[in-house]
């Protein structure tokens, strides 16, 4: 297996993207002491519209503004990256929409069960040498590899 088959569009932009994400998360932590995971953005955003006690916890209501700003920055950063370094082409997939939707729900459920997502555990947790994050990342990645292989074979 060659580098070209693993990275048909080149590997440099993956490296640069990883450095930007890692640097941004490190900067957020150094300047504010905040962990830059994304699964909490979901719960804290719902605290604006859902009055159930779970969503009205102080950990969500007190942090929702900066979390939304953080998420907006990630979205705008991806847009700038796409416009500046991308070719402007629309990205597509061969996966059926319902499979993508099911995957999104399962991912969200798993992130809640794991008390964090891949960005929280994988970037922030591993970066601060948290043992539970290592277990979570190994579980995420093992499940992802298995699922990707099963779905690819199932759809083939």
């Amino acid at each position: 297996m060659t580098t070209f088959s693993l990275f048909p569009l080149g590997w440099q932009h993956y490296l640069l993207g990883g450095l930007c994400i890692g640097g941004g998360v490190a900067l957020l932590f150094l300047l504010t002491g905040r962990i830059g995971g994304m699964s909490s953005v979901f719960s804290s955003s719902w605290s604006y519209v859902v009055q159930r006690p779970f969503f009205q916890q102080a950990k969500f209501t007190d942090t929702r503004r900066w979390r939304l700003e953080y998420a907006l920055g990630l979205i705008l950063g991806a847009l700038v990256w796409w416009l500046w370094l991308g070719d402007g082409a629309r990205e597509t997939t061969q996966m059926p929409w319902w499979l993508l939707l099911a995957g999104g729900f399962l991912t969200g459920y798993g992130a809640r069960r794991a008390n964090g997502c891949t960005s929280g555990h994988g970037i922030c947790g591993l970066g601060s040498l948290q043992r539970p994050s290592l277990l979570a990342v190994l579980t995420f990645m093992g499940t992802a590899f298995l699922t990707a292989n099963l779905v690819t074979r199932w759809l083939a």
Side-chain angles (χ1 to χ4, degrees):
M1 190 172 285
T2 66
T3 302
F4 182 75
S5 64
L6 289 174
F7 304 102
L9 302 176
W11 55 269
Q12 296 86 350
H13 60 286
Y14 295 108
L15 175 62
L16 185 56
L19 291 172
C20 287
I21 291 170
V25 169
L27 193 61
L28 176 69
F29 184 74
L30 287 173
L31 295 177
T32 67
R34 296 173 175 159
I35 304 294
M38 290 305 295
S39 62
S40 298
V41 172
F42 180 77
S43 298
S44 64
S45 298
W46 277 108
S47 71
Y48 280 112
V49 292
V50 177
Q51 297 304 312
R52 294 184 62 179
F54 174 79
F55 293 106
Q56 294 306 313
Q57 296 177 67
K59 68 180 181 178
F60 297 136
T61 59
D62 294 350
T63 63
R64 60 189 177 191
R65 181 171 177 224
W66 80 262
R67 290 186 190 282
L68 283 175
E69 291 168 351
Y70 180 66
L72 181 62
L74 289 174
I75 293 167
L76 291 175
L79 177 65
V80 167
W81 181 278
W82 181 62
L83 292 173
W84 183 39
L85 296 174
D87 60 3
R90 184 173 160 226
E91 297 293 327
T92 61
T93 182
Q94 300 301 316
M95 290 291 153
W97 68 269
W98 60 268
L99 200 55
L100 295 172
L101 185 65
F105 278 113
L106 289 173
T107 301
Y109 177 75
R112 288 292 3 125
R113 297 292 298 160
N115 290 322
C117 59
T118 51
S119 59
H121 284 300
I123 299 169
C124 304
L126 290 180
S128 59
L129 304 176
Q130 298 294 317
R131 194 172 303 214
S133 290
L134 176 60
L135 180 61
V137 168
L138 291 174
T139 302
F140 293 156
M141 296 307 291
T143 303
F145 294 150
L146 178 65
T147 303
N149 281 292
L150 289 175
V151 168
T152 302
R153 288 191 170 122
W154 179 58
L155 291 176

